[in-house]
Coordinates of all heavy atoms in Angstrom, one line a residue:
P44 N 11.2 28.3 39.6 CA 10.3 28.1 38.5 C 9.1 27.2 38.9 O 8.1 27.2 38.2 CB 11.1 27.4 37.4 CG 12.2 26.7 38.1 CD 12.5 27.6 39.3
W45 N 9.2 26.4 39.9 CA 8.2 25.5 40.3 C 7.0 26.1 41.1 O 6.1 25.4 41.4 CB 8.8 24.3 41.0 CG 9.7 23.5 40.1 CD1 11.0 23.5 40.1 CD2 9.3 22.8 38.9 NE1 11.5 22.8 39.1 CE2 10.5 22.3 38.3 CE3 8.1 22.5 38.3 CZ2 10.5 21.6 37.1 CZ3 8.1 21.7 37.1 CH2 9.3 21.3 36.6
N46 N 7.1 27.4 41.4 CA 6.0 28.0 42.0 C 5.0 28.5 41.0 O 3.9 28.9 41.3 CB 6.4 29.1 43.0 CG 7.2 30.2 42.3 OD1 7.5 30.1 41.1 ND2 7.5 31.3 43.0
A47 N 5.4 28.6 39.7 CA 4.6 29.1 38.7 C 3.3 28.4 38.5 O 2.2 29.0 38.4 CB 5.4 29.1 37.3
P48 N 3.2 27.0 38.6 CA 1.9 26.4 38.4 C 0.9 26.8 39.5 O -0.3 26.9 39.2 CB 2.2 24.9 38.5 CG 3.7 24.8 38.1 CD 4.3 26.0 38.6
V49 N 1.4 27.0 40.7 CA 0.5 27.4 41.8 C 0.1 28.8 41.6 O -1.1 29.2 41.6 CB 1.2 27.2 43.2 CG1 0.3 27.8 44.3 CG2 1.5 25.8 43.5
L50 N 1.0 29.7 41.3 CA 0.7 31.1 41.1 C -0.3 31.3 39.9 O -1.2 32.1 40.0 CB 2.0 32.0 40.9 CG 2.8 32.1 42.1 CD1 4.1 32.8 41.8 CD2 2.1 32.8 43.2
L51 N 0.0 30.6 38.8 CA -0.9 30.8 37.6 C -2.3 30.3 37.9 O -3.3 30.7 37.2 CB -0.3 30.0 36.4 CG 1.0 30.6 35.9 CD1 1.5 29.7 34.8 CD2 0.7 32.0 35.3
S52 N -2.5 29.5 38.9 CA -3.9 29.0 39.3 C -4.5 30.0 40.3 O -5.6 30.3 40.2 CB -3.8 27.6 39.9 OG -3.4 26.7 38.9
I53 N -3.7 30.3 41.3 CA -4.2 31.0 42.5 C -4.4 32.5 42.3 O -5.4 33.1 42.7 CB -3.3 30.8 43.7 CG1 -3.2 29.3 44.1 CG2 -3.8 31.6 44.9 CD1 -4.6 28.7 44.3
L54 N -3.5 33.2 41.6 CA -3.6 34.6 41.4 C -4.9 35.1 40.7 O -5.6 35.9 41.2 CB -2.4 35.2 40.8 CG -1.1 35.2 41.6 CD1 0.1 35.7 40.8 CD2 -1.3 36.0 42.9
P55 N -5.2 34.5 39.5 CA -6.5 34.8 38.9 C -7.7 34.4 39.7 O -8.8 35.1 39.6 CB -6.5 34.1 37.5 CG -5.1 33.7 37.3 CD -4.4 33.6 38.7
L56 N -7.6 33.4 40.5 CA -8.7 32.9 41.2 C -9.2 33.9 42.2 O -10.4 34.0 42.5 CB -8.2 31.6 42.0 CG -9.3 30.9 42.8 CD1 -10.4 30.3 42.0 CD2 -8.6 29.8 43.6
M57 N -8.3 34.6 42.8 CA -8.7 35.6 43.8 C -9.6 36.7 43.3 O -10.7 37.0 43.9 CB -7.4 36.3 44.4 CG -6.6 35.4 45.2 SD -5.2 36.2 46.0 CE -4.1 36.5 44.7
G58 N -9.3 37.2 42.1 CA -10.2 38.2 41.5 C -11.6 37.6 41.1 O -12.6 38.2 41.2
M59 N -11.5 36.3 40.6 CA -12.7 35.7 40.1 C -13.7 35.4 41.3 O -14.9 35.7 41.2 CB -12.4 34.4 39.4 CG -11.8 34.5 38.1 SD -11.4 32.9 37.4 CE -9.8 33.2 36.9
L60 N -13.1 35.0 42.4 CA -13.9 34.8 43.6 C -14.5 36.1 44.2 O -15.6 36.2 44.6 CB -13.1 34.0 44.7 CG -12.9 32.6 44.4 CD1 -11.9 32.0 45.4 CD2 -14.1 31.8 44.3
A61 N -13.6 37.1 44.2 CA -14.0 38.4 44.7 C -15.2 39.0 43.9 O -16.1 39.7 44.4 CB -12.9 39.4 44.6
A62 N -15.3 38.6 42.6 CA -16.4 39.0 41.8 C -17.6 38.1 41.9 O -18.6 38.4 41.3 CB -16.0 39.1 40.3
G63 N -17.5 37.1 42.8 CA -18.7 36.3 43.0 C -18.9 35.1 42.1 O -19.9 34.5 42.0
N64 N -17.8 34.7 41.4 CA -17.9 33.6 40.4 C -17.6 32.3 41.1 O -16.9 32.2 42.1 CB -16.9 33.8 39.3 CG -17.2 35.0 38.5 OD1 -18.2 35.1 37.8 ND2 -16.3 36.0 38.5
L65 N -18.2 31.2 40.5 CA -17.8 29.9 40.8 C -16.6 29.5 39.9 O -16.7 29.9 38.7 CB -18.9 28.9 40.6 CG -20.2 29.1 41.5 CD1 -21.3 28.1 41.1 CD2 -19.8 29.0 43.0
C66 N -15.7 28.8 40.4 CA -14.5 28.6 39.6 C -14.1 27.1 39.5 O -14.2 26.4 40.5 CB -13.3 29.3 40.2 SG -13.6 31.1 40.3
V67 N -13.5 26.7 38.4 CA -13.0 25.4 38.2 C -11.5 25.5 37.8 O -11.3 26.2 36.8 CB -13.7 24.5 37.1 CG1 -13.1 23.2 36.9 CG2 -15.2 24.4 37.5
L68 N -10.6 25.0 38.6 CA -9.2 25.0 38.2 C -8.9 23.7 37.5 O -9.3 22.6 38.0 CB -8.4 25.1 39.5 CG -8.5 26.3 40.4 CD1 -7.6 26.1 41.6 CD2 -8.1 27.5 39.6
K69 N -8.1 23.8 36.4 CA -7.6 22.6 35.8 C -6.1 22.7 35.7 O -5.6 23.3 34.8 CB -8.2 22.5 34.4 CG -8.1 21.1 33.7 CD -6.7 20.7 33.6 CE -6.3 19.7 32.6 NZ -4.8 19.6 32.7
P70 N -5.4 22.2 36.7 CA -4.0 22.4 36.8 C -3.3 21.6 35.6 O -3.9 20.6 35.1 CB -3.6 21.8 38.1 CG -4.8 21.6 38.9 CD -5.9 21.5 37.9
S71 N -2.1 22.0 35.3 CA -1.4 21.3 34.2 C -1.0 19.9 34.6 O -0.5 19.7 35.7 CB -0.1 22.1 33.9 OG 0.8 21.4 33.1
E72 N -1.2 19.0 33.7 CA -0.8 17.6 33.9 C 0.7 17.5 33.9 O 1.3 16.5 34.3 CB -1.4 16.7 32.9 CG -1.0 16.9 31.5 CD -1.9 17.9 30.8 OE1 -2.7 18.7 31.4 OE2 -1.8 17.9 29.5
G73 N 1.4 18.6 33.4 CA 2.9 18.6 33.4 C 3.4 18.9 34.8 O 4.7 18.9 35.0
A74 N 2.6 19.3 35.7 CA 3.0 19.5 37.1 C 2.1 18.7 38.0 O 1.3 19.2 38.8 CB 2.9 21.0 37.5
P75 N 2.3 17.4 38.0 CA 1.4 16.5 38.7 C 1.4 16.7 40.3 O 0.4 16.5 40.9 CB 1.9 15.1 38.4 CG 3.3 15.2 37.9 CD 3.4 16.6 37.3
N76 N 2.5 17.0 40.8 CA 2.5 17.3 42.3 C 1.7 18.5 42.7 O 1.0 18.5 43.6 CB 4.0 17.4 42.8 CG 4.7 16.1 42.7 OD1 4.2 15.0 42.8 ND2 6.0 16.2 42.6
T77 N 1.8 19.5 41.9 CA 1.0 20.7 42.1 C -0.5 20.4 41.9 O -1.3 20.8 42.7 CB 1.4 21.8 41.1 OG1 2.8 22.2 41.4 CG2 0.5 23.1 41.3
S78 N -0.8 19.6 40.9 CA -2.2 19.2 40.6 C -2.8 18.5 41.8 O -3.9 18.7 42.3 CB -2.2 18.4 39.3 OG -3.6 18.1 39.0
R79 N -2.0 17.5 42.3 CA -2.5 16.7 43.4 C -2.6 17.6 44.7 O -3.6 17.4 45.5 CB -1.5 15.5 43.7 CG -1.7 14.4 42.8 CD -0.9 13.2 43.2 NE 0.5 13.4 43.2 CZ 1.3 13.2 42.2 NH1 0.8 12.8 41.0 NH2 2.6 13.4 42.3
L80 N -1.7 18.5 44.9 CA -1.8 19.4 46.1 C -3.0 20.3 46.0 O -3.8 20.4 47.0 CB -0.5 20.3 46.1 CG -0.5 21.3 47.3 CD1 -0.3 20.6 48.6 CD2 0.6 22.3 47.1
L81 N -3.3 20.8 44.8 CA -4.5 21.7 44.7 C -5.8 20.8 44.9 O -6.7 21.3 45.5 CB -4.5 22.4 43.3 CG -3.5 23.5 43.2 CD1 -3.5 24.0 41.7 CD2 -3.8 24.7 44.1
A82 N -5.8 19.6 44.3 CA -6.9 18.7 44.4 C -7.2 18.3 45.9 O -8.3 18.1 46.3 CB -6.7 17.5 43.6
R83 N -6.1 18.3 46.7 CA -6.3 18.0 48.1 C -6.7 19.2 48.9 O -7.5 19.1 49.8 CB -5.0 17.4 48.6 CG -5.1 16.7 50.0 CD -3.9 16.1 50.5 NE -3.0 17.1 51.1 CZ -1.8 17.4 50.7 NH1 -1.2 16.7 49.8 NH2 -1.1 18.3 51.3
L84 N -6.1 20.3 48.7 CA -6.3 21.5 49.5 C -7.6 22.3 49.2 O -8.2 22.9 50.1 CB -5.1 22.4 49.4 CG -3.8 21.9 50.0 CD1 -2.7 22.9 49.9 CD2 -4.0 21.6 51.5
V85 N -7.9 22.4 47.9 CA -9.1 23.2 47.5 C -10.4 22.8 48.2 O -11.1 23.6 48.8 CB -9.2 23.3 46.0 CG1 -10.6 23.8 45.6 CG2 -8.2 24.1 45.4
P86 N -10.7 21.5 48.3 CA -11.9 21.1 49.0 C -11.9 21.4 50.5 O -12.9 21.7 51.1 CB -12.1 19.6 48.8 CG -11.2 19.3 47.6 CD -10.1 20.3 47.6
K87 N -10.7 21.4 51.0 CA -10.5 21.7 52.5 C -10.8 23.2 52.7 O -11.4 23.5 53.7 CB -9.1 21.3 52.9 CG -8.8 21.6 54.3 CD -7.4 21.2 54.7 CE -7.0 21.6 56.1 NZ -5.7 21.2 56.5
Y88 N -10.3 24.1 51.9 CA -10.4 25.5 52.1 C -11.6 26.1 51.4 O -12.0 27.3 51.6 CB -9.1 26.2 51.7 CG -8.0 25.8 52.7 CD1 -7.1 24.9 52.3 CD2 -8.0 26.4 54.0 CE1 -6.1 24.5 53.2 CE2 -7.0 26.0 54.9 CZ -6.0 25.1 54.5 OH -5.1 24.7 55.4
F89 N -12.3 25.4 50.5 CA -13.5 25.9 49.8 C -14.6 24.8 49.9 O -15.0 24.2 48.9 CB -13.2 26.2 48.4 CG -12.2 27.3 48.2 CD1 -10.9 27.0 48.0 CD2 -12.6 28.6 48.2 CE1 -10.0 28.1 47.8 CE2 -11.7 29.7 48.0 CZ -10.4 29.4 47.8
P90 N -15.0 24.5 51.2 CA -16.0 23.4 51.4 C -17.3 23.8 50.7 O -18.2 22.9 50.5 CB -16.1 23.3 52.9 CG -15.7 24.6 53.4 CD -14.6 25.1 52.4
D91 N -17.6 25.0 50.4 CA -18.8 25.4 49.8 C -18.8 25.1 48.3 O -19.8 25.4 47.6 CB -19.1 26.9 50.0 CG -18.0 27.8 49.3 OD1 -17.0 27.3 48.9 OD2 -18.2 29.0 49.3
R92 N -17.8 24.5 47.8 CA -17.6 24.1 46.4 C -17.6 25.3 45.4 O -18.0 25.2 44.3 CB -18.6 23.1 46.0 CG -18.4 21.8 46.8 CD -19.4 20.7 46.5 NE -19.6 20.4 45.1 CZ -18.9 19.5 44.4 NH1 -17.9 18.9 45.0 NH2 -19.1 19.3 43.1
S93 N -17.2 26.5 45.9 CA -17.1 27.7 45.1 C -15.9 27.5 44.2 O -15.8 28.2 43.1 CB -17.0 28.9 45.9 OG -15.9 28.9 46.8
V94 N -15.0 26.6 44.5 CA -13.8 26.3 43.7 C -13.7 24.8 43.6 O -13.8 24.1 44.6 CB -12.5 26.9 44.3 CG1 -11.3 26.5 43.4 CG2 -12.6 28.4 44.5
L95 N -13.6 24.3 42.4 CA -13.4 22.9 42.2 C -12.1 22.7 41.4 O -11.6 23.6 40.7 CB -14.5 22.3 41.3 CG -15.9 22.5 41.9 CD1 -17.0 22.1 40.9 CD2 -16.1 21.7 43.2
V96 N -11.5 21.5 41.5 CA -10.3 21.1 40.8 C -10.6 20.0 39.9 O -11.2 19.0 40.3 CB -9.1 20.8 41.7 CG1 -7.9 20.3 40.9 CG2 -8.8 22.0 42.6
A97 N -10.3 20.1 38.6 CA -10.5 19.0 37.6 C -9.1 18.6 37.2 O -8.4 19.4 36.5 CB -11.3 19.5 36.5
E98 N -8.7 17.4 37.5 CA -7.4 16.9 37.1 C -7.5 16.0 35.9 O -8.5 15.4 35.7 CB -6.8 16.0 38.2 CG -6.4 16.8 39.5 CD -5.6 15.9 40.4 OE1 -6.3 15.2 41.1 OE2 -4.4 16.0 40.5
G99 N -6.5 16.0 35.1 CA -6.4 15.2 33.9 C -5.8 15.9 32.7 O -5.2 16.9 32.8
G100 N -5.9 15.3 31.6 CA -5.3 15.7 30.3 C -6.2 16.4 29.4 O -7.2 17.0 29.7
K101 N -6.0 16.1 28.1 CA -6.7 16.7 27.0 C -8.2 16.4 27.1 O -9.1 17.3 26.8 CB -6.2 16.2 25.7 CG -6.8 16.7 24.4 CD -6.2 16.2 23.2 CE -6.4 14.7 23.0 NZ -5.9 14.2 21.7
E102 N -8.6 15.2 27.5 CA -10.0 14.8 27.5 C -10.7 15.7 28.5 O -11.9 16.1 28.3 CB -10.2 13.3 27.8 CG -9.5 12.4 26.8 CD -8.0 12.3 27.0 OE1 -7.5 12.5 28.1 OE2 -7.4 11.9 26.0
V103 N -10.1 15.9 29.7 CA -10.7 16.8 30.7 C -10.9 18.2 30.2 O -12.0 18.8 30.5 CB -9.9 16.7 32.0 CG1 -10.4 17.7 33.0 CG2 -9.8 15.3 32.6
V104 N -9.9 18.7 29.5 CA -10.1 20.1 29.0 C -11.2 20.1 28.0 O -12.1 21.1 28.1 CB -8.8 20.5 28.3 CG1 -8.9 21.8 27.5 CG2 -7.6 20.6 29.3
E105 N -11.3 19.2 27.1 CA -12.5 19.2 26.2 C -13.8 19.0 26.9 O -14.8 19.7 26.5 CB -12.3 18.1 25.1 CG -11.1 18.4 24.2 CD -10.8 17.3 23.2 OE1 -11.6 16.3 23.1 OE2 -9.8 17.4 22.5
D106 N -13.9 18.2 27.9 CA -15.1 18.1 28.7 C -15.5 19.4 29.4 O -16.6 19.8 29.4 CB -15.0 17.0 29.7 CG -15.1 15.6 29.1 OD1 -15.5 15.5 28.0 OD2 -14.7 14.6 29.8
L107 N -14.5 20.1 29.9 CA -14.7 21.3 30.6 C -15.2 22.4 29.6 O -16.1 23.1 29.9 CB -13.5 21.8 31.3 CG -13.1 21.1 32.6 CD1 -11.7 21.6 33.1 CD2 -14.1 21.3 33.7
I108 N -14.6 22.5 28.5 CA -15.0 23.5 27.5 C -16.3 23.2 26.9 O -17.1 24.1 26.6 CB -13.9 23.6 26.4 CG1 -12.6 24.2 27.0 CG2 -14.3 24.4 25.2 CD1 -11.4 24.2 26.1
N109 N -16.7 21.9 26.9 CA -18.1 21.6 26.4 C -19.1 21.8 27.4 O -20.3 21.7 27.2 CB -18.1 20.2 25.9 CG -17.4 20.1 24.5 OD1 -17.5 20.9 23.7 ND2 -16.7 19.0 24.3
T110 N -18.7 22.2 28.7 CA -19.7 22.5 29.7 C -20.0 24.0 29.6 O -19.1 24.8 29.5 CB -19.0 22.2 31.1 OG1 -18.7 20.8 31.1 CG2 -20.0 22.5 32.2
P111 N -21.2 24.4 29.7 CA -21.6 25.8 29.6 C -20.9 26.6 30.8 O -21.2 26.3 31.9 CB -23.1 25.8 29.7 CG -23.6 24.5 29.5 CD -22.4 23.5 29.9
V112 N -20.1 27.5 30.4 CA -19.4 28.4 31.3 C -19.5 29.8 30.8 O -19.8 30.0 29.6 CB -18.0 28.0 31.6 CG1 -17.9 26.7 32.3 CG2 -17.1 28.1 30.4
D113 N -19.3 30.8 31.6 CA -19.4 32.2 31.2 C -18.0 32.8 30.7 O -18.0 33.7 29.9 CB -19.8 33.1 32.4 CG -21.2 32.8 32.8 OD1 -22.1 32.5 31.9 OD2 -21.5 32.8 34.0
H114 N -16.9 32.2 31.1 CA -15.6 32.7 30.7 C -14.6 31.6 30.9 O -14.6 30.8 31.9 CB -15.3 33.9 31.5 CG -14.1 34.7 30.9 ND1 -14.3 35.7 30.0 CD2 -12.8 34.6 31.1 CE1 -13.1 36.2 29.7 NE2 -12.2 35.5 30.3
I115 N -13.5 31.6 30.1 CA -12.4 30.7 30.2 C -11.1 31.5 30.4 O -10.9 32.4 29.5 CB -12.3 29.7 29.0 CG1 -13.5 28.8 28.9 CG2 -11.0 28.9 29.1 CD1 -13.6 28.0 27.7
L116 N -10.3 31.2 31.4 CA -9.0 31.9 31.5 C -8.0 30.8 31.3 O -8.0 29.7 32.0 CB -8.9 32.5 32.9 CG -7.5 32.9 33.3 CD1 -7.1 34.2 32.5 CD2 -7.4 33.2 34.8
F117 N -7.1 31.0 30.4 CA -6.1 29.9 30.0 C -4.7 30.5 30.1 O -4.5 31.6 29.6 CB -6.4 29.4 28.6 CG -5.3 28.5 28.1 CD1 -5.2 27.2 28.6 CD2 -4.3 28.9 27.2 CE1 -4.1 26.4 28.2 CE2 -3.3 28.1 26.8 CZ -3.2 26.8 27.3
T118 N -3.8 29.8 30.8 CA -2.4 30.1 30.7 C -1.7 28.9 30.3 O -1.9 27.8 30.9 CB -1.9 30.6 32.1 OG1 -2.2 29.6 33.1 CG2 -2.5 31.9 32.5
G119 N -0.9 29.0 29.3 CA -0.2 27.8 28.8 C 0.4 28.1 27.4 O 0.5 29.3 27.0
G120 N 0.7 27.0 26.7 CA 1.3 27.1 25.4 C 0.4 27.6 24.3 O -0.8 27.4 24.4
G121 N 1.0 28.1 23.2 CA 0.3 28.6 22.1 C -0.5 27.6 21.3 O -1.7 27.9 21.0
E122 N 0.0 26.4 21.1 CA -0.7 25.4 20.4 C -2.0 25.0 21.1 O -3.1 24.8 20.6 CB 0.2 24.2 20.1 CG 1.2 24.5 19.0 CD 0.6 25.0 17.7 OE1 -0.4 24.4 17.2 OE2 1.1 26.0 17.2
I123 N -1.8 24.8 22.4 CA -3.0 24.4 23.2 C -4.0 25.5 23.3 O -5.2 25.3 23.3 CB -2.6 23.9 24.7 CG1 -1.7 22.7 24.5 CG2 -3.8 23.6 25.5 CD1 -1.0 22.3 25.8
G124 N -3.5 26.7 23.4 CA -4.3 27.9 23.4 C -5.2 28.0 22.2 O -6.4 28.4 22.3
K125 N -4.6 27.7 21.0 CA -5.4 27.8 19.8 C -6.5 26.7 19.8 O -7.6 27.0 19.4 CB -4.5 27.5 18.6 CG -3.5 28.6 18.3 CD -2.6 28.2 17.1 CE -1.5 29.1 16.9 NZ -0.5 28.7 15.9
R126 N -6.2 25.6 20.3 CA -7.2 24.5 20.4 C -8.3 24.9 21.4 O -9.5 24.7 21.1 CB -6.5 23.2 20.9 CG -7.5 22.0 20.9 CD -6.7 20.7 20.9 NE -7.5 19.6 21.1 CZ -8.2 19.0 20.2 NH1 -8.2 19.4 19.0 NH2 -9.0 17.9 20.5
I127 N -8.0 25.5 22.5 CA -9.0 25.9 23.4 C -9.9 27.0 22.8 O -11.1 27.0 23.0 CB -8.3 26.4 24.8 CG1 -7.8 25.2 25.5 CG2 -9.3 27.2 25.6 CD1 -7.0 25.5 26.7
L128 N -9.3 28.0 22.1 CA -10.0 29.0 21.4 C -11.0 28.4 20.4 O -12.2 28.8 20.3 CB -9.1 30.0 20.7 CG -8.5 31.1 21.6 CD1 -7.4 31.8 20.8 CD2 -9.5 32.0 22.2
A129 N -10.5 27.4 19.7 CA -11.4 26.8 18.7 C -12.6 26.1 19.3 O -13.7 26.2 18.9 CB -10.6 25.8 17.8
L130 N -12.3 25.4 20.4 CA -13.4 24.7 21.1 C -14.4 25.6 21.8 O -15.6 25.5 21.7 CB -12.8 23.7 22.2 CG -12.1 22.5 21.7 CD1 -11.3 21.8 22.8 CD2 -13.0 21.5 21.0
A131 N -13.8 26.7 22.4 CA -14.7 27.7 23.0 C -15.5 28.5 22.0 O -16.7 28.9 22.3 CB -13.8 28.7 23.8
A132 N -15.0 28.6 20.8 CA -15.8 29.4 19.8 C -17.1 28.7 19.4 O -18.0 29.3 19.0 CB -14.9 29.5 18.5
R133 N -17.1 27.4 19.6 CA -18.4 26.6 19.2 C -19.5 27.1 20.1 O -20.7 27.0 19.7 CB -18.2 25.1 19.4 CG -17.2 24.6 18.4 CD -17.2 23.1 18.5 NE -16.9 22.6 19.8 CZ -16.4 21.4 20.1 NH1 -16.3 20.5 19.1 NH2 -16.2 21.0 21.3
H134 N -19.2 27.6 21.3 CA -20.3 28.0 22.2 C -20.2 29.5 22.4 O -20.9 30.0 23.3 CB -20.1 27.3 23.6 CG -20.1 25.8 23.5 ND1 -21.3 25.1 23.3 CD2 -19.1 24.9 23.6 CE1 -21.0 23.8 23.2 NE2 -19.7 23.7 23.4
L135 N -19.4 30.2 21.7 CA -19.2 31.6 21.8 C -18.8 32.0 23.2 O -19.2 33.1 23.8 CB -20.4 32.4 21.4 CG -20.9 32.2 19.9 CD1 -22.1 33.0 19.6 CD2 -19.8 32.6 19.0
T136 N -18.0 31.2 23.9 CA -17.5 31.4 25.2 C -16.3 32.4 25.1 O -15.3 32.0 24.5 CB -17.1 30.1 25.9 OG1 -18.2 29.3 25.9 CG2 -16.6 30.4 27.3
P137 N -16.3 33.5 25.8 CA -15.1 34.4 25.8 C -13.9 33.7 26.5 O -14.1 32.9 27.5 CB -15.6 35.6 26.6 CG -16.9 35.3 27.2 CD -17.4 34.0 26.6
V138 N -12.7 34.0 26.0 CA -11.5 33.3 26.5 C -10.5 34.4 26.8 O -10.3 35.3 26.0 CB -10.9 32.3 25.5 CG1 -9.6 31.7 26.0 CG2 -12.0 31.2 25.2
S139 N -9.8 34.4 27.9 CA -8.7 35.2 28.2 C -7.4 34.3 28.2 O -7.4 33.3 28.9 CB -8.8 35.9 29.6 OG -9.9 36.7 29.7
L140 N -6.5 34.7 27.4 CA -5.2 34.0 27.3 C -4.1 34.7 28.0 O -4.0 35.9 28.1 CB -4.8 33.8 25.8 CG -5.9 33.0 25.0 CD1 -5.4 33.0 23.5 CD2 -6.0 31.6 25.4

């Protein structure tokens, strides 16, 4: 079960990068080791900053959603998903759950 946080971040990332997008990963604070690993490895393998990692909790999510983006991809619980949809709706940002 502990490979899920990595897979939920990396698998969608491949398609997004292939389409030419810049990406920000916000790993779950519930998997701190995975979050730290991604924060350490992503800059090493994406030195062009095409992928960034934002670590943190609720405040980081709200800051990210208030930043103009073209699309949000969210994997996680239903209650948090509802909150993300409500925040994204303020800017009419499309969301994939």
Side-chain angles (χ1 to χ4, degrees):
W45 295 108
N46 61 352
V49 173
L50 291 176
L51 290 173
S52 296
I53 300 302
L54 290 178
L56 181 66
M57 292 185 285
M59 290 180 229
L60 289 172
N64 295 296
L65 299 177
C66 302
V67 177
L68 297 175
K69 196 304 199 172
S71 171
E72 63 273 15
N76 291 332
T77 299
S78 184
R79 282 191 296 272
L80 178 70
L81 288 171
R83 190 178 82 236
L84 293 179
V85 164
K87 178 179 178 180
Y88 292 101
F89 297 96
D91 63 351
R92 297 178 51 87
S93 59
V94 181
L95 302 172
V96 176
E98 291 187 282
K101 178 176 70 169
E102 300 80 21
V103 171
V104 171
E105 290 178 5
D106 287 345
L107 287 172
I108 291 175
N109 285 321
T110 303
V112 296
D113 294 325
H114 193 92
I115 296 170
L116 171 69
F117 171 76
T118 55
E122 288 305 313
I123 297 171
K125 289 177 190 176
R126 184 160 169 85
I127 287 174
L128 280 173
L130 290 169
R133 294 189 304 198
H134 303 287
L135 299 176
T136 303
V138 177
S139 297
L140 300 174

